Amino acid sequence: MMKINFTKISKKVYVLIITAILLVVVTVALTLILSRQHSSSQKDNDRTSHSTALNEMDTKTQNQTNKETNTNGETNTDNETEMTTDDKTNANDESNTNKENDVQETTANQGETVTAQEDTLEVKVEKILNNMTLEEKVYQMFIITPEALTNGNNVTTCSDFFREQLEQYPVGGIIYFAKNLVNREQTAQMLQNARQYAYEVEDMPLFLCVDEEGGRVARIANNPNFGVPNVGAMQYIGSAAKAYEAGQTIGAYLNELGFNVNFAPDADVITNSNNTVIGDRSFGTDANIVTEYAAAYSSGLHSQNMRSTFKHFPGHGSTEGDTHEGFAYTNKTYEELMESELVPFAHAQSNGVDFVMVAHISVPNIVGDNTPCTLSYKMISEVLRRDLNYNGLVITDAMNMGAIFNNYASDTASILAVSAGVDLILMPGDFFGAAQGVINAVYNGQISESRIDTSVRRIITKKLQME
């Protein structure tokens, strides 16, 4: 009888059981893996089917649209052509819209740039103004001869002493006459030094001024040492083109020498045949022609970077007397002046004239007394500023002329002129006394500092625009 070894059998059973378990685990694992792969593939198929279904729906919708279009009497061919045309039209419309938007954006950007530049100028002006003492502001309101600043007799150079005086009395400008102007080299050097000192002391330009009208009033052209042509008296100009050419010619040689302000052209209308102080300095007797020619002359100066001046407000052409010597007046009414003498000044703002020079003549039928226009609030602030809308610089005629000097102290005249609304006082008989008088008037409340600021703001703005 065979003897069974249960120990060996148990071991075999144990191995079989373990093997079976492993086979089951492997089978389950493989089943799970295959199941996941099938699920993922099914999802992809579902997505593809869904996308295909959507495309089919779009196609059906488009076909339906085309059928509806054809129903309205258009063939498929016509429809395709029309779609092509519409596409082009839409493209063109879109292109034009984009171009318009680009233009508008460019224009807006340019506008912002201009505004930014204006803002920058205004900010710079206010910064300079706010850093100035009252005394410095008042000195800016004076244009004087170099002799008045340096106490010299016949100044033909610009020395270190000029700089020292300018540092103490930083005036707005210097006016030069024939005695100061010897030849090209001397004049150019003198003005160059003055310009340099002004930047060192005031950090902005000086108004470097001269009377160079042409004809008998020509400090440069009437000196043969300069070798420049005299354009002749304005009475004989003959056309706006010739007037422009005259201004251009004068502006070119003044700019080359170093000047930046010309007290020209003469904008007086000759309405009194006995007038001698103006005479051939005027463009004539017709207010419209005088306006046209004076504006053309001014433009000629501007073309050469030269500032212009209309003078002598409200019109010296209707007077007989000479304010250089003493009293001069006109009996014309406001309405009568508006018909003729005031016409050129009414167009000064629109023609970009930089300065208007006020005459010392009296207009009793407008003001009510013999107060010179230079000192008249009514004539300057009401007529010139308000009625004629002039916003540029207003400067007096020379305050050392008989009409002022023989009747008013320099400080009194300057106070009255500032109170009347002028921005710049030209050549007072006593500069130091005149300036101190205005300063004292501010301290004692006769003139407000804001009134001074208004003029100095205009002065600084014009100077910065010259740079």
Side-chain angles (χ1 to χ4, degrees):
M1 185 172 183
M2 182 184 300
K3 185 179 180 178
I4 300 173
N5 190 339
F6 287 101
T7 302
K8 290 182 179 180
I9 293 172
S10 298
K11 288 180 179 180
K12 289 180 180 180
V13 171
Y14 179 76
V15 170
L16 288 172
I17 291 171
I18 295 300
T19 302
I21 292 171
L22 289 174
L23 286 172
V24 171
V25 169
V26 171
T27 301
V28 170
L30 289 172
T31 301
L32 288 174
I33 291 171
L34 292 173
S35 176
R36 288 177 181 176
Q37 289 178 343
H38 176 73
S39 176
S40 176
S41 176
Q42 185 63 36
K43 287 181 180 179
D44 289 341
N45 291 336
D46 290 343
R47 289 193 190 98
T48 302
S49 298
H50 181 67
S51 177
T52 302
L54 288 176
N55 289 336
E56 289 175 354
M57 289 176 63
D58 289 342
T59 301
K60 289 179 180 179
T61 301
Q62 183 63 45
N63 290 337
Q64 182 65 28
T65 301
N66 291 340
K67 289 178 181 178
E68 291 174 357
T69 302
N70 291 336
T71 302
N72 290 330
E74 296 180 358
T75 62
N76 289 334
T77 303
D78 291 340
N79 185 56
E80 290 175 2
T81 303
E82 182 175 319
M83 289 176 62
T84 303
T85 303
D86 288 344
D87 289 343
K88 289 181 180 179
T89 302
N90 291 335
N92 289 335
D93 289 344
E94 184 177 354
S95 177
N96 291 335
T97 300
N98 290 337
K99 288 180 181 178
E100 289 175 2
N101 291 337
D102 290 343
V103 170
Q104 291 174 355
E105 184 176 353
T106 301
T107 303
N109 291 338
Q110 290 173 343
E112 291 173 1
T113 301
V114 171
T115 302
Q117 290 173 345
E118 290 175 349
D119 290 343
T120 300
L121 176 62
E122 290 176 3
V123 168
K124 192 171 183 179
V125 168
E126 292 304 316
K127 182 178 180 181
I128 293 173
L129 184 65
N130 292 335
N131 287 331
M132 295 173 74
T133 66
L134 171 63
E135 288 76 10
E136 289 171 335
K137 294 175 186 177
V138 171
Y139 292 137
Q140 275 296 305
M141 298 178 70
F142 286 86
I143 293 180
I144 60 176
T145 64
E147 289 82 9
L149 184 65
T150 63
N151 293 313
N153 292 322
N154 187 19
V155 175
T156 56
T157 62
C158 188
S159 64
D160 290 341
F161 182 62
F162 177 96
R163 187 191 186 285
E164 293 171 8
Q165 288 295 94
L166 188 63
E167 194 165 14
Q168 188 172 356
Y169 307 101
V171 294
I174 303 292
I175 180 171
Y176 297 90
F177 287 86
K179 65 180 181 179
N180 306 120
L181 312 171
V182 180
N183 55 47
R184 283 177 177 270
E185 293 73 23
Q186 167 269 334
T187 299
Q189 187 62 58
M190 179 176 65
L191 297 181
Q192 180 181 336
N193 289 350
R195 188 164 52 251
Q196 177 183 337
Y197 292 150
Y199 274 105
E200 292 174 358
V201 173
E202 303 178 11
D203 196 27
M204 57 182 171
L206 271 176
F207 289 135
L208 299 174
C209 315
V210 67
D211 286 303
E212 190 76 8
E213 300 174 13
R216 54 190 165 107
V217 181
R219 320 301 186 195
I220 305 295
N222 286 336
N223 183 339
N225 292 333
F226 287 90
V228 298
N230 190 323
V231 299
M234 297 301 102
Q235 179 181 338
Y236 308 110
I237 286 294
S239 71
K242 291 292 184 182
Y244 178 89
E245 185 179 335
Q248 187 178 45
T249 298
I250 291 172
Y253 66 71
L254 290 184
N255 178 271
E256 183 181 351
L257 290 169
F259 291 101
N260 52 41
V261 175
N262 188 12
F263 290 141
D266 193 302
D268 293 308
V269 181
I270 298 296
T271 58
N272 185 340
S273 59
N274 293 321
N275 181 289
T276 56
V277 66
I278 301 301
D280 63 2
R281 298 166 63 188
S282 167
F283 288 104
T285 60
D286 186 297
N288 293 323
I289 288 178
V290 170
T291 302
E292 181 185 6
Y293 291 10
Y297 184 114
S298 175
S299 295
L301 289 175
H302 289 162
S303 73
Q304 302 302 311
N305 197 29
M306 189 65 49
R307 265 45 59 183
S308 64
T309 308
F310 270 19
K311 59 184 185 184
H312 307 81
F313 174 84
H316 219 313
S318 61
T319 65
E320 284 191 33
D322 185 350
T323 52
H324 291 85
E325 305 299 331
F327 181 68
Y329 73 98
T330 176
N331 279 324
K332 286 196 171 186
T333 64
Y334 178 71
E335 291 74 21
E336 288 172 331
L337 287 178
M338 282 297 290
E339 290 176 358
S340 185
E341 286 85 354
L342 288 176
V343 172
F345 300 101
H347 291 82
Q349 181 67 33
S350 61
N351 284 306
V353 176
D354 304 285
F355 297 77
V356 164
M357 181 179 286
V358 183
H360 303 313
I361 64 175
S362 298
V363 285
N365 283 329
I366 300 176
V367 175
D369 56 33
N370 289 323
T371 301
C373 290
T374 323
L375 314 181
S376 170
Y377 179 89
K378 182 173 184 61
M379 292 305 297
I380 295 172
S381 293
E382 294 183 6
V383 175
L384 180 58
R385 291 291 194 199
R386 186 194 64 194
D387 297 353
L388 305 186
N389 194 35
Y390 182 68
N391 297 319
L393 289 167
V394 175
I395 184 171
T396 70
D397 205 342
M399 298 287 272
N400 62 0
M401 292 164 63
I404 300 296
F405 189 75
N406 295 342
N407 299 290
Y408 301 88
S410 291
D411 56 349
T412 301
S414 296
I415 291 169
L416 291 172
V418 172
S419 299
V422 302
D423 301 309
L424 290 155
I425 298 168
L426 179 64
M427 296 169 56
D430 174 9
F431 159 61
F432 300 106
Q436 192 59 51
V438 175
I439 292 168
N440 292 341
V442 177
Y443 282 133
N444 65 31
Q446 188 176 353
I447 298 174
S448 68
E449 187 165 359
S450 63
R451 165 68 196 90
I452 301 297
D453 288 349
T454 297
S455 286
V456 177
R457 188 176 287 111
R458 287 194 191 103
I459 293 167
I460 296 172
T461 300
K462 180 61 67 176
K463 287 187 172 186
L464 296 186
Q465 290 172 338
M466 288 165 39
E467 292 182 319

